[in-house]
Amino acid sequence: MGSKRVSLEVSEVCAEAVRLADVDVVAAYPITPQTHIAEVLSEMVADGVLDAEYINVESEHSAMSCCIGASAAGARSFTATSAQGLALMSEMLYIASGLRLPIVMALVTRTLSAPLSIWGDYSDIMSVRDCGWITLFAEDGQEVFDFTLQAFRIAEDERVLFPAMVCMDGFHLSHVLEPVDVISEEEARDFLPVYRPKYRLHPSDPVSMGCFAMPDYFSEIKKRQDEELKGSYPVILEVWREWEERFGRRYAPLMSYWVDDAEMILVIAGGYAGTARLAVEGMRKRGMKVGLVSWKLWRPFPLDDVREILGKAPLVLVVDRALSVGGAGGPIANEIRAAFYHEKVRPQVVSMVAGLSGRDVLQRDFEAMTKRAMELAERGEIPYYEMYGVRE
Amino acid sequence: MSEERAQLLKGFTPKKLPREEYFGPGHRACQGCAPAVMLRHLLKVLGPNTVVATATGCAEIISSPYPQTAWKIPWIHSAFENAAATAAGIEAAYKALMRKKRIPKERIYVVSLAGDGGTADIGLQALSGALERGHDCIFICYDNEAYMNTGIQRSGLTPFGASTTTSPAGRIFKGQRTWKKDIAAIAAAHHIPYVATACVSYMKDMYAKMIKAADTRGPSFLHILAPCPTGWRCPPDMAIEIGRMAVQSGMFHLYEVENGVKRLTVKVKERIPVKEYIRAQGRFRHLTDEDIEEIQRRVDEEYERLLREAGEMA
Ligand SMILES: Cc1ncc(C[n+]2csc(CCOP(=O)(O)OP(=O)(O)O)c2C)c(N)n1
Ligand code: SF4
Ligand SMILES: [Mg+2]
């Protein structure tokens, strides 16, 4: 039996991937817009189609703590959250990475309060940029499915051993119905065998995990964590190649379109890339040399891809759905700028912040931002950043 | 209860204690540290098929400076407020992995270990969640009555009147201004199978309770008073004696709640005045005789309530 095409809400798609991963422990606490994932998984456990312990924790902090305990004991562990939940568990995110536990999390992205808003943007994920997790941005339901299964395989690889999260836009992606190719249980087992940890908490071979480090060891440990997280990059590419061979879908850290002759490349992460693609397609038809990058791999940061692909055009427009308040504007834009600072040839980078808290960014908005970016560049007046489409 | 353990309690003497050490010597506790004594004996009771999740605090800091460890059993520390949740995750993992035949089916004791702060203050929510969900874990609060690891700051379990670095005795306030939170009663309110208080100075009683906790299926909670000479400001060789005085004066009570039934396990026939207990420690040095009388009144009241609850008084 091979893959089959189904039509499912993307939250269910995520849960189905988790079921196919045959996870052992799920610990989750509900928060909009993550709720459907937590609900569907608990239904699966209640119906016996997923043989896992489902821990109804009393908070996201405990959700991640349970995953840490479970993963340390050798269980394949999963959780899902959004915004406030991510903020509440953020202490534990750093610890999961430092302890090198291959936990997988779905982050249904949502804006951080205040004002309270259940709608989507990337302020949550950007607030934990430095937590040491492999981080993937999904653009559609198929990517949510593929990335979730891949995340377990990558995270558990002995050359990696880092937690991994798959980000999907709250509502705009999590709550829409999409046709998705779902692989069979045999295919899933083949791609993702049972997790056999190198070390686990078990009396047969006692280990201590989570010792404290004094300054004379700390920096060495951090350096290794940094190098090894970066070292997961080739493994990710390897898993993506294998996935393509098995299932025919190809992935790259930055998926790029029409970039080779582009005079400007538009960069965006997540679900809004779909609209951006339509906008770019339209502009191309009108003879404008615009390219597009849909960002997939956020951590480890794909430095070489950024330099190679975005270096092709003299101008880059980055549309960030998060704002570093009182700081440097768009987080992705600034990492791109930093990546190019020492390059001899580097594009100009226009940073626009748009689509906060789920505000629509339509085709015409992408066109307007493109026009504005080109004008600013032409005038030589590129600002640090700009917020797009905000009423005065 | 296993035959071996039952034998241990008959004619309890130090000679009969298991010789194996699973909490290794060479850890970095202060001299006379009763929490360290407690840990050593806990692992003697539970043996090698035990995994411990420890909260940040003295128990963690004294035992795990990278690249060393004092733990000869599997051990994890992840954060301060989440020992109960970490233990819950371990227990759930074993359950799933044993059911799915990924690891051999056997009894592994899963222990959540936290200080008074890690249990009753910042860790209370995670503890409550874990107790309510019924994880098969032993939850231990070693109570040294302050945040010792960070420099003797007050906790919700610091006794009234004690001077700590955040409840200092000053010109206006006389140390801690709140009464000790009843964490064992809070645990018992979750209606778990076994709750007990213990004190390192009552070794046999503590062993009996650790054994019962081990034999319990489902959550058990032990609140263990463990004097800290550094924070209580007493000579290291007085720690065990002061623990005994805490019980003898009625400042701390030894009881258990088994399936909802409360029972005094150590009955004090003639209580000593709390003054004796208080005057033995530097942390109460500033208290006047009148202050101590107020504490005595409160202790008397609580003692009567305890006797009533334990069916010792009509
Ligand atoms: C979230 C968080 N807040 C504060 C701390 C600082 N901290 C570490 S241990 C500790 C006190 C521990 O007290 P207790 O649980 O009573 O254990 P003890 O050190 O007395 O053994 C504090 C305040 C921390 N590590 N994490
Ligand atoms: S401060 Fe107290 S509890 Fe901590 S190690 Fe020293 S004696 Fe033990
Ligand atoms: Mg303490």
Side-chain angles (χ1 to χ4, degrees):
Chain A
M1 207 181 75
S3 302
K4 63 171 191 276
R5 174 153 290 209
V6 295
S7 180
L8 284 174
E9 190 193 273
V10 172
S11 294
E12 290 177 76
V13 169
C14 176
E16 178 61 10
V18 174
R19 186 186 74 77
L20 287 168
D22 188 26
V23 296
D24 304 307
V25 173
V26 177
Y29 191 82
I31 177 168
T32 305
Q34 157 266 30
T35 37
H36 290 183
I37 297 176
E39 289 166 5
V40 174
L41 283 170
S42 72
E43 267 170 40
M44 287 173 165
V45 172
D47 288 338
V49 295
L50 170 60
D51 187 0
E53 287 296 307
Y54 189 99
I55 313 179
N56 274 302
V57 282
E58 80 302 325
S59 75
E60 288 85 353
H61 196 284
S62 285
M64 189 47 65
S65 300
C66 282
C67 285
I68 285 172
S71 183
R76 186 170 282 161
S77 311
F78 177 83
T79 188
T81 193
S82 299
Q84 309 311 118
L86 188 78
L88 186 58
M89 69 165 66
S90 69
E91 179 193 22
M92 301 319 298
L93 296 178
Y94 288 76
I95 294 170
S97 170
L99 294 181
R100 307 294 296 266
L101 299 172
I103 298 159
V104 171
M105 169 161 72
L107 179 67
V108 187
T109 55
R110 160 181 157 175
T111 193
L112 278 172
S113 291
L116 185 143
S117 164
I118 57 170
W119 300 94
D121 65 34
Y122 281 21
S123 51
D124 52 5
I125 174 61
M126 290 305 162
S127 75
V128 296
R129 271 190 298 183
D130 303 332
C131 71
W133 282 53
I134 292 168
T135 307
L136 294 159
F137 294 133
E139 184 184 320
D140 58 24
Q142 188 66 58
E143 288 183 7
V144 167
F145 181 81
D146 294 357
F147 286 178
T148 304
L149 272 160
Q150 292 161 5
F152 286 104
R153 189 42 208 278
I154 295 164
E156 292 168 6
D157 192 300
E158 265 190 26
R159 296 164 294 173
V160 176
L161 291 178
F162 276 104
M165 69 174 118
V166 177
C167 305
M168 70 192 84
D169 298 39
F171 292 116
H172 284 83
L173 190 48
S174 64
H175 283 53
V176 297
L177 236 81
E178 283 195 9
V180 173
D181 286 330
V182 167
I183 66 175
S184 70
E185 286 184 18
E186 293 79 67
E187 285 171 326
R189 259 198 303 277
D190 225 36
F191 172 74
L192 181 67
V194 170
Y195 174 41
R196 305 224 177 270
K198 201 168 177 184
Y199 306 102
R200 70 161 99 216
L201 292 174
H202 193 272
S204 57
D205 181 18
V207 291
S208 289
M209 296 188 186
C211 295
F212 71 91
M214 294 296 277
D216 57 343
Y217 278 109
F218 189 91
S219 300
E220 282 68 24
I221 294 171
K222 269 298 141 188
K223 181 160 186 253
R224 231 181 121 171
Q225 186 187 3
D226 180 52
E227 281 172 357
E228 290 182 2
L229 183 55
K230 285 185 201 144
S232 69
Y233 179 90
V235 179
I236 295 168
L237 293 201
E238 190 183 296
V239 170
W240 274 343
R241 265 196 302 278
E242 187 186 321
W243 188 267
E244 186 182 359
E245 277 160 27
R246 283 174 186 260
F247 308 113
R249 290 185 292 278
R250 191 183 74 82
Y251 293 107
L254 304 184
M255 294 293 275
S256 54
Y257 310 87
W258 309 289
V259 291
D260 286 334
D261 64 340
E263 282 162 10
M264 193 208 84
I265 299 174
L266 196 163
V267 179
I268 188 154
Y272 283 24
T275 318
R277 191 177 294 108
L278 291 175
V280 171
E281 221 170 357
M283 290 188 273
R284 277 268 160 186
K285 278 193 191 127
R286 278 178 271 132
M288 291 167 73
K289 289 197 168 159
V290 182
L292 174 75
V293 160
S294 173
W295 203 295
K296 305 296 169 196
L297 179 64
W298 179 232
R299 290 292 185 272
F301 186 79
L303 184 64
D304 292 341
D305 300 79
V306 168
R307 285 179 178 161
E308 191 203 313
I309 294 168
L310 299 183
K312 291 179 185 200
L315 181 63
V316 170
L317 162 63
V318 189
V319 179
D320 262 291
R321 295 186 57 207
L323 174 68
S324 165
V325 178
I332 299 180
N334 279 293
E335 296 214 10
I336 293 172
R337 282 175 176 153
F340 277 108
Y341 186 80
H342 286 292
E343 298 300 284
K344 282 202 186 69
V345 182
R346 54 182 185 228
Q348 306 218 62
V349 178
V350 175
S351 168
M352 297 261 183
V353 175
L356 295 187
S357 177
R359 182 173 286 190
D360 283 332
V361 182
L362 305 175
Q363 247 171 277
R364 63 163 186 271
D365 296 315
F366 283 112
E367 284 164 13
M369 282 189 271
T370 302
K371 215 173 126 211
R372 171 101 182 126
M374 287 174 163
E375 277 167 20
L376 288 168
E378 200 154 323
R379 293 210 303 266
E381 289 173 7
I382 294 180
Y384 205 10
Y385 64 95
E386 232 176 56
M387 288 186 74
Y388 170 80
V390 181
R391 295 187 299 275
E392 288 306 323
Chain B
M1 193 190 306
S2 75
E3 194 46 38
E4 215 175 305
R5 284 176 179 154
Q7 278 305 321
L8 191 63
L9 292 178
K10 268 186 215 143
F12 187 85
T13 71
K15 261 203 200 140
K16 287 174 75 177
L17 299 183
R19 296 210 165 264
E20 296 79 11
E21 300 288 354
Y22 299 104
F23 186 66
H27 58 71
R28 300 172 174 209
C30 316
Q31 277 185 38
C33 172
V37 176
M38 186 284 288
L39 279 177
R40 177 173 172 229
H41 290 284
L42 173 73
L43 295 185
K44 280 179 183 284
V45 171
L46 298 180
N49 261 29
T50 304
V51 46
V52 177
T54 301
T56 314
C58 276
E60 168 254 338
I61 286 291
I62 63 173
S63 64
S64 65
Y66 180 88
Q68 298 168 3
T69 180
W71 302 87
K72 296 187 186 171
I73 46 102
W75 176 84
I76 185 169
H77 156 256
S78 67
F80 181 23
E81 63 280 59
N82 69 345
T86 309
I90 296 168
E91 183 254 16
Y94 287 159
K95 233 166 148 179
L97 294 173
M98 285 181 196
R99 187 171 64 232
K100 292 164 107 167
K101 301 194 168 60
R102 305 264 160 81
I103 56 173
K105 217 178 167 112
E106 62 188 319
R107 183 110 164 101
I108 302 174
Y109 301 114
V110 180
V111 177
S112 157
L113 175 76
D116 43 302
T119 303
D121 293 344
I122 201 167
L124 187 58
Q125 175 180 318
L127 174 69
S128 174
L131 294 181
E132 170 241 313
R133 292 189 301 268
H135 294 279
D136 189 7
C137 300
I138 303 168
F139 298 89
I140 293 187
C141 170
Y142 67 93
D143 182 7
N144 52 16
E145 301 197 316
Y147 303 157
M148 295 309 177
N149 168 49
T150 38
I152 325 178
Q153 294 89 16
R154 59 84 69 189
S155 80
L157 299 197
T158 301
F160 182 89
S163 179
T164 70
T165 53
T166 53
S167 64
R171 251 169 294 170
I172 298 173
F173 297 128
K174 297 179 170 178
Q176 172 90 334
R177 292 189 289 151
T178 53
W179 296 92
K180 193 175 175 77
K181 183 180 343 188
D182 195 349
I183 187 64
I186 294 170
H190 291 76
H191 302 306
I192 56 174
Y194 189 67
V195 172
T197 62
C199 174
V200 180
S201 313
Y202 288 79
M203 200 53 95
K204 183 180 176 188
D205 184 69
M206 185 172 80
Y207 261 74
K209 287 163 176 173
M210 287 172 170
I211 290 171
K212 273 196 184 173
D215 289 340
T216 300
R217 290 298 174 134
S220 53
F221 179 82
L222 300 182
H223 176 198
I224 303 177
L225 186 72
C228 157
T230 308
W232 294 17
R233 307 204 190 287
C234 67
D237 61 359
M238 280 293 287
I240 300 300
E241 183 56 29
I242 283 176
R244 195 168 298 124
M245 288 161 81
V247 174
Q248 291 298 319
S249 64
M251 288 286 287
F252 195 81
H253 315 293
L254 298 180
Y255 65 86
E256 62 186 9
V257 187
E258 211 171 347
N259 297 314
V261 181
K262 195 166 185 174
R263 187 177 75 84
L264 273 182
T265 57
V266 171
K267 291 172 200 166
V268 183
K269 284 201 191 77
E270 299 248 336
R271 277 184 293 139
I272 61 169
V274 296
K275 194 169 172 179
E276 273 180 43
Y277 171 70
I278 282 174
R279 287 291 182 228
Q281 302 166 58
R283 61 178 172 159
F284 296 114
R285 188 173 48 206
H286 55 285
L287 295 183
T288 62
D289 283 353
E290 293 84 74
D291 298 329
I292 295 174
E293 270 164 37
E294 191 191 343
I295 296 174
Q296 181 72 60
R297 270 196 298 280
R298 174 97 176 198
V299 166
D300 291 346
E301 270 169 37
E302 276 184 14
Y303 198 68
E304 276 192 18
R305 184 166 55 82
L306 176 76
L307 291 181
R308 267 198 305 278
E309 283 172 4
E312 301 278 338
M313 205 170 92

